[in-house]
Amino acid sequence: MSTKLAPRDQGVPDHTELLHPGMAKNYGKWDYHERIRPGVLRYVAENGDSVYTVRAGSPRTMSPNTIEKICDIADRFCQGFLRFSMRTNVEFTVDKEELVAPLIEAIKTELGFPVGGTGPSISNISHTQGWLHCNLPGTDAAGTVKALMDDLIDEFENERFPNRVKITTSCCQINCGRHADIGIVVQHHHPPRIDYDNMQICDLPKVVAICPVAAIRPKVVGGTPSVEVVDEKCMYCGACHGQCPSMEIRDADTDTLSIWVGGKGANTRGGPSLMKLAVWGLPNNPPRWPEVSDAVRKILDAYKEGGKDWERVGEWIERIGWQRFFEKTGFTFTKYHIEDGPNAMWTYNRSTQVRI
Amino acid sequence: MSTKLAPRDQGVPDHTELLHPGMAKNYGKWDYHERIRPGVLRYVAENGDSVYTVRAGSPRTMSPNTIEKICDIADRFCQGFLRFSMRTNVEFTVDKEELVAPLIEAIKTELGFPVGGTGPSISNISHTQGWLHCNLPGTDAAGTVKALMDDLIDEFENERFPNRVKITTSCCQINCGRHADIGIVVQHHHPPRIDYDNMQICDLPKVVAICPVAAIRPKVVGGTPSVEVVDEKCMYCGACHGQCPSMEIRDADTDTLSIWVGGKGANTRGGPSLMKLAVWGLPNNPPRWPEVSDAVRKILDAYKEGGKDWERVGEWIERIGWQRFFEKTGFTFTKYHIEDGPNAMWTYNRSTQVRI
Amino acid sequence: MDKKKEGGKGSDKTKLNTPLLDELEKGPWPSFVTDLKQWSEQKPQVAQLLNQLEDSYENRWNYWTGTVLNVTGYGGGIIARLSDKAEEYPDLAEFHTIRILPPAGFVYSTERLRNLTEICERHGAGILQLHGLTGDILALGFDNKGSRAASEELMANGWDLGGSGAALRSLQCCVGQARCEMACFDTMKTTRFLTNHYISFLHRPEFMYKFKIKVSGCGNDCANAMISSDMPIMGTWRGPMQVDQARVAEFIDESGVEYLIDNVITRCPTRCISLKGKELVVDNDDCVRCMHCINVMHKALKPGKERGVTICLGAKRTLKIGDTMSSVIVPFMPLETEEDFEKLTDLIDRIWEFWNDNAMDHERIGEFISRVGLGTFVEGIGLEPDPRMVRETRTSPFIKFEELAPGRLEGEQKQEPAVWQREPESRE
Amino acid sequence: MDKKKEGGKGSDKTKLNTPLLDELEKGPWPSFVTDLKQWSEQKPQVAQLLNQLEDSYENRWNYWTGTVLNVTGYGGGIIARLSDKAEEYPDLAEFHTIRILPPAGFVYSTERLRNLTEICERHGAGILQLHGLTGDILALGFDNKGSRAASEELMANGWDLGGSGAALRSLQCCVGQARCEMACFDTMKTTRFLTNHYISFLHRPEFMYKFKIKVSGCGNDCANAMISSDMPIMGTWRGPMQVDQARVAEFIDESGVEYLIDNVITRCPTRCISLKGKELVVDNDDCVRCMHCINVMHKALKPGKERGVTICLGAKRTLKIGDTMSSVIVPFMPLETEEDFEKLTDLIDRIWEFWNDNAMDHERIGEFISRVGLGTFVEGIGLEPDPRMVRETRTSPFIKFEELAPGRLEGEQKQEPAVWQREPESRE
Ligand code: SRM
Ligand code: SRM
Ligand code: SRM
Ligand code: SRM
Ligand code: SF4
Ligand code: SF4
Ligand code: SF4
Ligand code: SF4
Ligand code: SF4
Ligand code: SF4
Ligand code: SF4
Ligand code: SF4
């Protein structure tokens, strides 16, 4: 395979030039870290050097105004360097402990960002595009995150959970929001409607092929080759909608939200796991989606109360059993909670082990 | 649904009339048991009564001569009662401890059956019909069991393993021999050959439908409706051979035997589990199948040495990891050990957790 | 039936000549070859059987074909065997197996066992297998006439035929309360009750395919129900486990604390056992009735007093969709009173009805559940979904909520059963 | 780009009017609404954007359509967005996103970040998202002309575009050695190296479908590689873990033995840690590098000295065959020397080659492996099968052993890839 750079293939900026000097100096030579208060980590190098990182929650979507404020603070406190975390938080690094308090003050007053998200807290929600900018969303992303984080900010600013809590949202069934301890997902409830008058199908065979259950069939409509959907087969996944904009999967009146729990990428203890259905049928209720906040709270309260140190949400549920999870959250277990996708049999209780 | 007995539907003999008096008297009122020596269990009732059960290994397939000997012993020692166990062992029950030794003596000398199979030993092998009497076998059953048990009789007569060891054999890919700690299974390596001259297909659609991978297609051969097999699709399972005798799946020259480990029905600890491939390609070598005995020995030796008390074979492997299992048995891990059937993805190592 | 070989060309082939099989007379394990060779002195067809088996050993080839034979009024119970070598071994031309229902728990009086043996010997080759893997008494070696005659006489003597084909199969249970202190309910009574209640379904293959019920007195599953039966009925209990602290202390004195920690406390799947001094404390809320601690300390620990069964569905071996395992369908129900048993048969009736109405030919219940989904199945048999039916809830986000999707399009059809059925992954 | 709305009928619709969105100005979390409203004073198209978003909130409906736009020489990197409401909001007629490659580890100097912001602001709406879920810098709001101009200027300033479509996607890594004591290799260097080495594959969508690589310095997976990337590269070590017994003792003094037992010893997945007095002993043979004990006692415990990576393959979200997870493909390899990196690119080349040659359109690598089987795949890329690739060996007994099945029938065809492909379970 060719690996030579084409003329315009210049690649990624050199990170070594973008590192805070404290980080550059001890690169690869760190000894340990301490969480000196929520949002603030002290990193100690083998040679005894320390740097302090302050994590601030951002709304991810930012104007140049906000970025200018961030840069300004980084210039004043951090020798002109900063980084963003995996969960779109801004991280300011300083090399003197006495800079921490004034830095936090600046973040809060000038930027208006909260400080936290470290250790066993709820960090920023990983969110997607939503109505702001995607072509497929059934709900918003930035808005749901804002509404939820308003409600959870206390838990961002404190470290009061058994372990870290990662939350994601997804604005359509494509689910760009990944697996997480708690995931909020849109759900469609009808087969796609085909807009035969405005068909924009670029590639008919691709549209037919994309359907996981072979529900899309070629069909000549009004003389032109088009497609039809076998409603009984369709599982409302919307894969076709991504491929063909004329196959409308969304429905403002019937789309709902559901909450999934127990996803985890870390290889710790039991290893990675996918998230599983907790509750479904929540209304898609802008601008603040109170029903979603409510349900998330129920899960978090139960987890906070019942989880043991270091148990992630999924590990807690696994230990207490799903039966107790439903008891403790007050959600109802329904037949829809039982897997019917591929590998369903692996999710059944294939032993007599039950809590009676 | 009708539940009325039809005239000839008389049902099963009444077991309450067939119980040893000691068992009948304390039915449902047992307190505990003791293994007083390999093959002998003492059952103590709540009222302090005891019965003693002596377990003798049988060849399952027996002539009236042998059954007469069994009955004779039961008459002399057991008040005319006896039972068979789930693994085709004969169980003689007496109500006095002093009867145990003479009973064992009689079993050994008159019947020629060994006594054992209790506790953490290797019990009798559950076997199938084989060449003696089935229509589908690729190998024998009674013979393989006899050859193997000759080799393992020491372990039947002693209780030296971490836990009970259950072994099964199956004489074709239908696998009437169930899952077990160790299972020996025949494997075919070609698609079925169709004997067009002697077609005995009773029900064509059934034959076509039985194939799990849709490899069987209707085809008119010499003017009559018949079938053909798409070789590339066929996975040599032999399901069609069970439905249609003219579709010959076996091949005396190429059929082989494989050994599977870690099956378990008990709900203890991790619960039930299916057996998994340990080693394949062993020759189908009557009359004594030495290569099979050899491989089984390797597994048993490693398990005996490395297993912790109460670990069944599969639990031992799970703890030490498959990598070590292959190291300790000396078998080779091949690409065929990697699942490709349904649910394959669930068997992959979906974490970075590895012993390095 | 003691007819001698009737001429034909292969006459000398009917004389015992089994050098390979003779190898199986060596070694300490009881030899079926020795036994049958001796028996062949009385039953010449057994010599032919051994000779044909010898041929199999020599050629690594099988010489039987067969189908299911009908006895008047019966659809099942006899497995026909016809020898491909009937010319050489005329007595093997018809050499069928009769499956006979065993007494629950495989208990016998010598009188009944002799009676059985005698009938089989008189009408056939007299070879018995105690027992087949499904639990039947297998009696080998009857020709057509002998099969019918033996069946008649067996029935006249209080025996009945077992199942075969697309029918309820003979039930099997562990020894249970007859001898075992772990038993949580009466396995033998249950087995006999269900066998007799449903005897007609055993005899007349009218299901979509075979259906096996196996009955174990506790989670140890000595009856091999969990991975080899369509419907395991498994003993269990509700409420606290019985702990005899005096015997716990004895156990510790005998085996030591370390043994207890390593073999009991750390091996509990939900880690719900703890040791306070010499007292063993079980967090009964979290105990999942796996039996392990009771097995290790069976003098000190016992199942709780309120007993019953957990009912599962779906195991079978591997043909077609691969092995299926049983999964929980009723987490707990008592099984003592007449009403309890009625509830059980009522449940079984509903399961069979839904299965037989909706399954495809040759589709066992585990395959059926796998195809339609446990959720749909549970609804189909009229049970409430229970989180204990699953190890975990669904991960797949594509769900057809009937409640949330009222027919939007003209003529939208409801699928029966209402399930998402997957098509092949490969789309070549 | 600061053009004003150019007439049209919906002219008053371009004035900010967002009662529903205003609800999102309440509450303590920083509000993107407040920020964008302020910004709209400088950028009128942002007012239109907010108004369209308000319409979405009101009607629970989306008004964007879009495809992938090409920049000369590029196949990916720009996500086109066209508003359905262009008549009302003329500045949204073209409102594309540019995906810009972030520096490895998301580290910035204020100078570079200002440079980036300034370019985006000059040619477009100036809205930045730091970062997208795959790791790109997302810059929103460019029309066709602006997209091209911005791309040109970005490139002139040392930036480069990210991936989209059926291409290698922008890589993402955790902060790693820049700050974290757990890091087992240089995640930033690896990320930059692979990005630049394969930059052409990032820009020109010629794969069967998208391919994401994510890089985490250790098993904690802060880069979200395991469940959201086609190829997680994960730090790990070989040989003994580093244990500082003095710090172990300190830990015990601070937290107590009970805490240590409950939170470290009993939580190890292979239970390979024990405590001898105040010494913590790890059975390194059984340690599976899960990181848990190190996380809890990160002062006292550290990854071993011989470090490297575990490489996995196959995760993606749920469309089509359902979620797939990554599984191990290389249990351990060092990643330090040039040769190590060459081995890595060699492996990636082989993976891509086999995948692109054999996969179907739109089939990601996890789906491809699921279809052809891991065994076939491993062979296809020229690796030795290793038991660490699986959690357990196969249960399904139907295997096509090439070694044992030389073509018996005339014209027997070898299937490529040689796999057993399942057909649908339902055979209606
Ligand atoms: C900064 C960041 C890496 C980066 O390059 O951006 C990071 C940094 C650290 N992570 Fe992380 N993790 C970061 C995202 C993640 C993610 C991914 C994510 O959040 O989307 C995960 C995987 C989540 C999952 O399982 O899907 C992650 C799973 C962990 C874990 C494993 C927790 C567990 O028990 O399963 C640890 C270990 C721990 O907690 O001691 C960890 C530990 C750490 C440590 C303590 C490592 C170290 O010594 O520096 C860092 C301090 C974190 C703190 O907040 O107390 N980090 N960490 C990310 C901060 C995100 C944020 O702003 O909240
Ligand atoms: C007699 C028999 C029941 C019967 O109705 O026939 C029986 C009897 C007992 N079994 Fe069993 N089991 C019998 C077949 C089984 C089977 C099925 C089989 O062998 O095919 C299993 C399930 C195997 C599996 O997992 O697939 C079985 C799994 C157990 C276990 C669980 C072991 C475990 O740790 O997983 C126990 C518990 C124990 O060992 O303490 C057990 C315990 C017992 C006890 C101790 C129960 C008791 O208190 O009476 C009995 C004495 C056994 C001994 O040998 O020491 N029995 N036991 C069966 C004897 C078979 C034989 O001749 O070898
Ligand atoms: C006799 C017996 C083996 C033995 O020597 O013990 C046996 C023998 C046959 N089995 Fe079996 N199976 C016997 C227990 C089993 C078991 C074990 C069990 O019941 O616990 C299984 C595995 C569990 C299960 O039910 O799946 C078993 C799974 C099969 C299968 C595979 C079913 C599947 O879907 O995978 C078939 C073929 C089929 O059903 O299409 C089969 C079919 C057969 C047939 C009828 C072959 C055929 O299709 O023509 C065999 C008749 C042989 C004969 O001459 O009697 N037999 N068969 C067992 C029945 C004796 C009895 O009634 O007591
Ligand atoms: C922008 C972004 C969300 C965000 O706001 O952060 C995004 C947005 C889109 N994703 Fe995504 N995905 C984004 C990260 C993800 C992730 C997360 C990740 O990479 O860690 C996933 C889950 C992991 C995975 O790869 O499966 C993800 C799974 C998908 C899928 C589902 C793939 C599947 O097979 O299940 C699609 C649809 C597809 O590929 O057919 C998709 C498709 C899309 C498209 C292109 C919609 C479409 O098909 O037209 C969206 C374009 C929106 C826009 O206006 O930019 N996006 N998408 C993320 C990329 C930003 C970046 O480059 O940094
Ligand atoms: S989840 Fe759907 S709507 Fe949201 S960004 Fe991804 S593709 Fe777009
Ligand atoms: S929504 Fe999904 S299942 Fe339905 S037609 Fe479209 S791709 Fe197929
Ligand atoms: S395993 Fe096969 S050959 Fe053996 S008894 Fe069962 S069906 Fe017959
Ligand atoms: S052996 Fe199995 S896969 Fe092959 S044709 Fe027969 S039924 Fe189909
Ligand atoms: S299953 Fe339970 S009750 Fe039945 S014999 Fe085994 S241990 Fe006893
Ligand atoms: S029966 Fe099993 S789950 Fe219950 S306490 Fe004992 S070991 Fe634990
Ligand atoms: S993945 Fe490991 S190395 Fe990277 S930041 Fe997280 S803890 Fe540190
Ligand atoms: S890293 Fe994980 S597996 Fe290794 S010793 Fe620590 S807890 Fe155990």
Side-chain angles (χ1 to χ4, degrees), chain D residues 107-123:
Chain D
V107 289
Y108 294 89
S109 64
T110 52
E111 186 225 321
R112 301 301 299 141
L113 188 53
R114 282 198 180 96
N115 168 264
L116 178 84
T117 312
E118 194 272 329
I119 297 171
C120 294
E121 179 184 339
R122 197 145 31 77
H123 296 286

Side-chain angles (χ1 to χ4, degrees), chain C residues 69-371:
Chain C
L69 195 78
N70 277 315
V71 173
T72 330
Y74 279 81
I78 299 188
I79 310 294
R81 282 294 162 261
L82 316 170
S83 172
D84 287 342
K85 294 197 155 218
E87 290 202 7
E88 291 168 55
Y89 310 120
D91 291 349
L92 306 185
E94 297 164 359
F95 205 79
H96 316 318
T97 294
I98 305 184
R99 293 182 172 173
I100 302 158
L101 283 177
F106 301 158
V107 289
Y108 294 88
S109 64
T110 52
E111 184 224 322
R112 301 300 297 138
L113 187 54
R114 283 198 179 95
N115 167 264
L116 178 84
T117 312
E118 193 272 328
I119 297 170
C120 294
E121 177 183 342
R122 194 143 34 74
H123 295 287
I127 302 169
L128 287 190
Q129 294 176 326
L130 293 154
H131 298 83
L133 281 177
T134 310
D136 284 298
I137 303 164
L138 306 178
L140 272 58
F142 301 88
D143 62 12
N144 291 354
K145 229 176 91 235
S147 305
R148 292 198 172 82
S151 300
E152 287 300 322
E153 203 172 330
L154 284 166
M155 288 186 281
N157 278 270
W159 302 97
D160 201 345
L161 297 212
S164 65
L168 172 63
R169 294 305 183 84
S170 311
L171 282 78
Q172 163 172 305
C173 71
C174 75
V175 65
Q177 295 184 330
R179 206 177 65 193
C180 174
E181 75 274 12
M182 320 275 192
C184 293
F185 72 112
D186 192 337
T187 57
M188 293 193 189
K189 177 177 154 191
T190 305
T191 301
R192 178 159 188 249
F193 168 80
L194 289 175
T195 307
N196 290 358
H197 185 81
Y198 288 123
I199 190 76
S200 163
F201 294 98
L202 249 147
H203 291 151
R204 294 173 191 85
E206 51 189 36
F207 286 167
M208 289 323 276
Y209 201 39
K210 56 174 84 152
F211 193 93
K212 295 179 180 175
I213 300 180
K214 293 192 175 128
V215 182
S216 278
C218 76
N220 281 331
D221 194 14
C222 295
N224 266 318
M226 287 303 287
I227 36 177
S228 337
S229 75
D230 298 279
M231 182 166 169
I233 301 180
M234 309 289 301
T236 191
W237 68 95
R238 186 151 66 180
M241 183 186 292
Q242 299 183 63
V243 183
D244 182 335
Q245 298 294 2
R247 286 184 173 176
V248 170
E250 261 171 50
F251 183 94
I252 295 175
D253 290 342
E254 275 166 36
S255 311
V257 174
E258 203 173 322
Y259 185 89
L260 184 97
I261 293 175
D262 289 353
N263 289 282
V264 181
I265 298 196
T266 62
R267 306 292 269 280
C268 169
T270 55
R271 323 249 160 226
C272 69
I273 310 176
S274 51
L275 191 65
K276 314 269 174 209
K278 282 201 170 181
E279 297 232 320
L280 192 130
V281 182
V282 178
D283 176 354
N284 286 290
D285 255 18
D286 258 357
C287 167
V288 289
R289 283 73 173 135
C290 89
M291 290 301 295
H292 172 75
C293 60
I294 299 180
N295 290 340
V296 181
M297 304 178 69
H298 58 271
K299 287 186 189 164
L301 307 180
K302 291 210 162 23
K305 291 196 164 160
E306 192 186 342
R307 300 187 176 185
V309 296
T310 297
I311 297 177
C312 302
L313 274 182
K316 67 174 283 291
R317 205 32 172 117
T318 191
L319 282 188
K320 297 198 256 107
I321 69 165
D323 291 281
T324 58
M325 292 172 81
S326 297
S327 58
V328 172
I329 203 88
V330 177
F332 182 84
M333 67 179 279
L335 201 50
E336 266 180 63
T337 64
E338 240 174 73
E339 292 81 60
D340 296 340
F341 278 95
E342 233 167 69
K343 271 190 200 142
L344 177 61
T345 52
D346 187 55
L347 176 74
I348 294 174
D349 290 347
R350 279 180 289 145
I351 290 170
W352 284 348
E353 199 176 324
F354 188 65
W355 170 51
N356 284 311
D357 286 355
N358 294 286
M360 297 185 296
D361 189 46
H362 215 274
E363 190 175 46
R364 283 176 73 172
I365 195 118
E367 296 167 312
F368 175 64
I369 293 174
S370 154
R371 179 168 60 88

Side-chain angles (χ1 to χ4, degrees), chain A residues 269, chain D residues 237 241 264 267-273 282-283 286-294 301:
Chain A
R269 300 170 298 279
Chain D
W237 68 94
M241 184 187 292
V264 181
R267 307 291 269 280
C268 168
T270 54
R271 323 248 160 226
C272 67
I273 310 175
V282 178
D283 176 353
D286 258 357
C287 168
V288 290
R289 284 73 173 135
C290 89
M291 290 300 295
H292 172 74
C293 60
I294 300 181
L301 308 180

Side-chain angles (χ1 to χ4, degrees), chain D residues 174-177 180-184 187 216-223 291 295:
Chain D
C174 75
V175 67
Q177 294 184 330
C180 175
E181 74 275 12
M182 321 276 191
C184 293
T187 56
S216 278
C218 76
N220 280 331
D221 194 15
C222 295
M291 290 300 295
N295 290 340

Side-chain angles (χ1 to χ4, degrees), chain D residues 93-309:
Chain D
E94 298 164 357
F95 205 79
H96 315 319
T97 294
I98 305 184
R99 291 183 172 173
I100 303 159
L101 282 177
F106 301 158
V107 289
Y108 294 89
S109 64
T110 52
E111 186 225 321
R112 301 301 299 141
L113 188 53
R114 282 198 180 96
N115 168 264
L116 178 84
T117 312
E118 194 272 329
I119 297 171
C120 294
E121 179 184 339
R122 197 145 31 77
H123 296 286
I127 303 169
L128 288 189
Q129 293 176 327
L130 291 154
H131 296 82
L133 281 176
T134 309
D136 285 299
I137 304 164
L138 306 178
L140 272 58
F142 300 88
D143 61 14
N144 291 355
K145 227 174 93 238
S147 305
R148 292 197 172 84
S151 301
E152 286 301 322
E153 204 172 329
L154 283 166
M155 288 186 282
N157 279 269
W159 302 97
D160 201 346
L161 298 211
S164 63
L168 173 63
R169 294 305 184 84
S170 310
L171 281 78
Q172 163 172 304
C173 71
C174 75
V175 67
Q177 294 184 330
R179 209 178 62 195
C180 175
E181 74 275 12
M182 321 276 191
C184 293
F185 73 112
D186 192 338
T187 56
M188 293 192 188
K189 179 179 155 191
T190 305
T191 301
R192 181 162 184 244
F193 168 80
L194 289 175
T195 306
N196 291 358
H197 185 80
Y198 288 123
I199 190 78
S200 165
F201 294 99
L202 248 147
H203 292 150
R204 293 170 193 86
E206 51 190 36
F207 286 169
M208 289 322 276
Y209 201 41
K210 57 174 84 154
F211 193 93
K212 295 179 180 176
I213 301 181
K214 292 192 176 130
V215 182
S216 278
C218 76
N220 280 331
D221 194 15
C222 295
N224 266 319
M226 288 302 288
I227 34 175
S228 337
S229 76
D230 299 278
M231 181 165 170
I233 300 181
M234 309 288 302
T236 191
W237 68 94
R238 186 151 66 180
M241 184 187 292
Q242 300 184 63
V243 183
D244 181 335
Q245 297 293 2
R247 285 183 174 178
V248 170
E250 260 171 50
F251 183 93
I252 295 176
D253 290 342
E254 274 166 37
S255 310
V257 174
E258 202 174 323
Y259 186 88
L260 184 99
I261 293 176
D262 289 354
N263 289 283
V264 181
I265 298 197
T266 61
R267 307 291 269 280
C268 168
T270 54
R271 323 248 160 226
C272 67
I273 310 175
S274 51
L275 192 66
K276 314 270 173 207
K278 281 200 170 181
E279 296 232 321
L280 191 128
V281 181
V282 178
D283 176 353
N284 286 291
D285 256 18
D286 258 357
C287 168
V288 290
R289 284 73 173 135
C290 89
M291 290 300 295
H292 172 74
C293 60
I294 300 181
N295 290 340
V296 181
M297 304 177 69
H298 58 271
K299 288 186 188 165
L301 308 180
K302 292 210 164 18
K305 289 194 166 164
E306 193 187 341
R307 299 186 178 186
V309 296

Side-chain angles (χ1 to χ4, degrees), chain B residues 190-230:
Chain B
H190 295 286
R193 285 157 303 181
I194 303 178
D195 182 356
Y196 287 112
D197 301 330
N198 285 300
M199 276 314 261
Q200 312 179 11
I201 299 183
C202 343
D203 192 343
L204 209 61
K206 276 201 181 184
V207 174
V208 171
I210 202 141
C211 178
V213 292
I216 306 177
R217 284 200 294 233
K219 187 187 179 182
V220 176
V221 178
T224 32
S226 184
V227 294
E228 69 172 349
V229 171
V230 184

